[in-house]
Amino acid sequence: LLSQQLRLNERDLHDTTVTDGSSFNASMQTSPASMINQYKFEEDAEDTKDIFVTVDNPESHVTAIETYITYRVVTKTTRSEFDSSEFEVRRRYQDFLWLKGRLEEAHPTLIVHPLPEKFVVKGMVERFNEDFIETRRRALHRFLNKIAEHPIFSSSEDFKIFLTAAPGELTSYKKQGPGFLSRMGETVKAVAAAVRGVRNRPQEFTEMQEYVEAFSQKISSLDKVTQRIVREQKEYLEELKECGPTYALWSQSEEELAEPLKDVAGCVDRCCKETEEQVKNLNDNLIPVLHEYALCTDTLKAVLRRRDNIQADFEAKTEALATKKADRDTMRDDLDKAEDRLEWANNALKSDWTRWQKDMRTDLRSAFVDTAERNVNYYEKCLAVWESFLHSQRTDAEGNGNVDFS
C-alpha cells in the first residue's frame, strides 16, 4: 500500500512539473481554480518523503590547469522512475551551479534555494582549507535537500540526471541546453522588458516586493552582526586560552596562593573548552541559516523581476495588437500565449511564496530555539565551574578561619 501511494504521489507530482508556462500545453485547463490546485503543497509532505540525498566525502583533484573539489552525492529513493533504489556519484560545485540554473530556466517564478557563494568567503585565507570545504559541503547538502523536498523540483528530469548520471553522461546532457544565441536572445528580451517596466502590477506582488526589501535589510543585518559576534568570540577564546597557563605559572611562585591559582587555571581551561564548543555551535548551526536566507533575498528579487518581465512582455504584445492592423491573427495567438504564460507564472509564484515563507519561518525558529538552548547549556556549565571554585574556597576558608566570603 505504501509503494502504491508513493507511486500515486509521484504521478501527481509529475503531472504538475510544468509550473510557469515555459512549456505550456493549450489542452490543459487554465481556470485560476484549476491552476491553483496544480500548486497545492501537501501539509504532510514529510510523512511521504520518498527521496533522501546526502552530500559528503569531499575530495581534492589537481590537474594541469586547475584544482577543484568534488563531493560524493548519495541518493536513496523508492521512486519508480529511478532505475535503482540507491545511487552514488561525485559532483563538483559547477555541477550544482548548472542544476540551479536549469531549474530557474525551466521554472522562472519558482524559488530555488541559494547555493553558497562561488568565491571564497571573506576572511578565509586558503580557498581549499578544511573549514571552507566543510562549510561548502554543508551548504551543498542543504541545497540538494531543499530541492528534494520541493514538490516540483524533486520531479525534475534535470534533478534526476544530476543525482544518477555518470560524469560523461552528465557532461553530454549539459551540452544539450539552449545555445549561446538562444540565451542571448532571452537576455535581450529580459532587458527590454525591464526597461519598459510593468504598468499594472497586481497589488499582491507589490506587497511581496516590499516584504522582500524589508526582510533583506533585517536578515542581512542580523547575518553580519552574528558573524561579527562569532569573530569576536573567537578572539576572546584565544585570549582566554592564554589565561590558564598564566595562572598555573603564577602558582609556582606564590606558595600561599598556589592552590587557588591552580584551581582558577583549571576553571579557565574548562570554560575554554565550553566556549570553544559554543563558538562551533554558532558557526555550524546559526550562521549558515542566517547567511543562506540572506542569499535567498537575491533569489526572491530575481524571481519577482522575472515575473515582471513576463507581465511586461504581455503588456507589450497587448499594445502592439492595439496599434497594428497587419498580421493580427498571428499577434492574437502570441498574445494568448503570453497571457497564459503570465497566469501560470503568477499562480506558480503565489503558491511557492506560501511554501517558502513556511519553510523560512520553520528554519529560523528552529535555529533560534537551538541557539537559545545551547546558550543556556553553555552558561549553566560555566556557572557550575565557577560555583565549584567558590564552594572549594569557602570550605578552605572556613577550615582556616581567616577569610570572610559573606
Side-chain angles (χ1 to χ4, degrees):
L1 287 175
L2 177 59
S3 298
Q4 290 175 346
Q5 183 61 49
L6 290 175
R7 284 196 292 272
L8 287 173
N9 289 342
E10 293 157 15
R11 185 188 64 193
D12 292 341
L13 288 173
H14 179 71
D15 292 341
T16 61
T17 306
V18 179
T19 61
D20 48 50
S22 57
S23 302
F24 179 75
N25 185 341
S27 66
M28 300 175 74
Q29 294 183 356
T30 57
S31 68
S34 68
M35 284 190 293
I36 289 173
N37 287 336
Q38 296 284 339
Y39 306 110
K40 290 294 184 184
F41 302 118
E42 298 295 335
E43 292 291 333
D44 58 347
E46 291 185 2
D47 297 333
T48 60
K49 187 173 180 181
D50 53 8
I51 185 165
F52 301 86
V53 186
T54 303
V55 179
D56 61 13
N57 191 23
E59 288 183 359
S60 178
H61 301 263
V62 181
T63 69
I65 58 175
E66 64 176 340
T67 299
Y68 60 93
I69 305 295
T70 63
Y71 301 85
R72 182 175 67 173
V73 178
V74 177
T75 304
K76 296 182 180 180
T77 182
T78 57
R79 293 188 178 184
S80 58
E81 65 262 32
F82 286 83
D83 297 332
S84 176
S85 61
E86 186 168 343
F87 297 87
E88 180 178 317
V89 295
R90 296 204 71 84
R91 297 289 183 252
R92 57 185 298 184
Y93 179 81
Q94 291 178 358
D95 299 325
F96 289 85
L97 201 61
W98 168 82
L99 175 62
K100 181 174 182 291
R102 291 284 288 188
L103 294 175
E104 290 175 338
E105 181 185 333
H107 310 286
T109 56
L110 293 183
I111 303 164
V112 183
H113 194 73
L115 282 168
E117 294 96 332
K118 181 176 178 61
F119 299 107
V120 181
V121 178
K122 184 178 180 181
M124 289 204 175
V125 178
E126 174 57 46
R127 182 184 176 191
F128 293 129
N129 69 15
E130 290 184 6
D131 288 342
F132 175 79
I133 293 172
E134 176 59 16
T135 297
R136 172 165 282 188
R137 184 202 65 78
R138 288 170 177 265
L140 295 176
H141 176 84
R142 283 189 293 271
F143 168 77
L144 285 188
N145 276 273
K146 287 291 185 181
I147 301 302
E149 292 165 5
H150 195 285
I152 307 301
F153 295 148
S154 66
S155 296
S156 161
E157 183 67 15
D158 294 315
F159 185 48
K160 178 185 173 185
I161 291 293
F162 177 92
L163 295 177
T164 63
E169 292 179 63
L170 182 63
T171 301
S172 299
Y173 189 78
K174 287 162 76 171
K175 292 178 180 178
Q176 297 174 14
F180 175 75
L181 292 178
S182 174
R183 293 196 301 271
M184 281 295 295
E186 290 301 315
T187 301
V188 169
K189 288 180 183 178
V191 171
V195 171
R196 285 193 303 269
V198 292
R199 293 186 177 83
N200 300 299
R201 181 191 294 117
Q203 180 62 27
E204 59 194 316
F205 297 115
T206 298
E207 291 175 357
M208 279 186 196
Q209 206 164 46
E210 292 171 351
Y211 176 92
V212 170
E213 289 296 334
F215 179 79
S216 176
Q217 293 177 7
K218 294 169 185 173
I219 197 73
S220 296
S221 176
L222 193 57
D223 176 37
K224 292 176 183 176
V225 169
T226 305
Q227 291 196 45
R228 186 168 67 245
I229 289 173
V230 170
R231 285 197 301 271
E232 291 173 354
Q233 284 194 328
K234 287 180 179 178
E235 292 173 1
Y236 163 73
L237 178 60
E238 292 305 311
E239 298 285 347
L240 197 61
K241 286 179 178 179
E242 296 181 8
C243 287
T246 302
Y247 280 113
L249 185 62
W250 186 11
S251 68
Q252 297 175 12
S253 59
E254 287 283 352
E255 185 176 345
E256 295 297 323
L257 286 175
E259 289 305 314
L261 287 171
K262 289 178 182 178
D263 290 344
V264 169
C267 290
V268 170
D269 288 341
R270 288 163 64 189
C271 285
C272 273
K273 292 178 181 178
E274 298 301 333
T275 303
E276 196 164 17
E277 184 66 20
Q278 170 70 351
V279 170
K280 183 179 184 300
N281 288 331
L282 287 173
N283 215 42
D284 292 348
N285 300 301
L286 180 60
I287 283 182
V289 176
L290 295 177
H291 189 61
E292 283 175 19
Y293 276 102
L295 293 176
C296 203
T297 60
D298 291 332
T299 298
L300 294 171
K301 292 173 184 177
V303 167
L304 288 167
R305 282 196 302 271
R306 290 196 289 266
R307 193 222 67 86
D308 281 357
N309 291 343
I310 294 171
Q311 181 174 336
D313 181 60
F314 168 69
E315 291 175 349
K317 285 180 168 60
T318 303
E319 286 183 10
L321 182 64
T323 57
K324 294 181 181 179
K325 296 181 179 180
D327 240 357
R328 292 182 66 84
D329 289 341
T330 301
M331 294 177 68
R332 168 59 66 181
D333 289 342
D334 289 344
L335 180 61
D336 289 344
K337 291 177 182 177
E339 184 177 18
D340 290 338
R341 187 170 187 243
L342 176 60
E343 191 170 7
W344 278 88
N346 286 347
N347 281 286
L349 176 53
K350 283 189 285 188
S351 286
D352 215 29
W353 173 258
T354 301
R355 179 201 61 81
W356 177 83
Q357 283 195 312
K358 180 182 177 182
D359 284 355
M360 176 269 293
R361 287 163 181 160
T362 299
D363 289 345
L364 290 179
R365 183 181 293 111
S366 176
F368 295 152
V369 169
D370 178 75
T371 300
E373 291 175 344
R374 292 178 186 276
N375 279 340
V376 169
N377 187 48
Y378 165 69
Y379 288 113
E380 283 181 343
K381 286 183 176 179
C382 290
L383 180 63
V385 167
W386 291 110
E387 283 183 336
S388 174
F389 170 76
L390 287 176
H391 177 73
S392 67
Q393 295 307 302
R394 287 194 182 102
T395 302
D396 291 346
E398 289 169 1
N400 295 330
N402 58 359
V403 179
D404 183 7
F405 279 90
S406 63

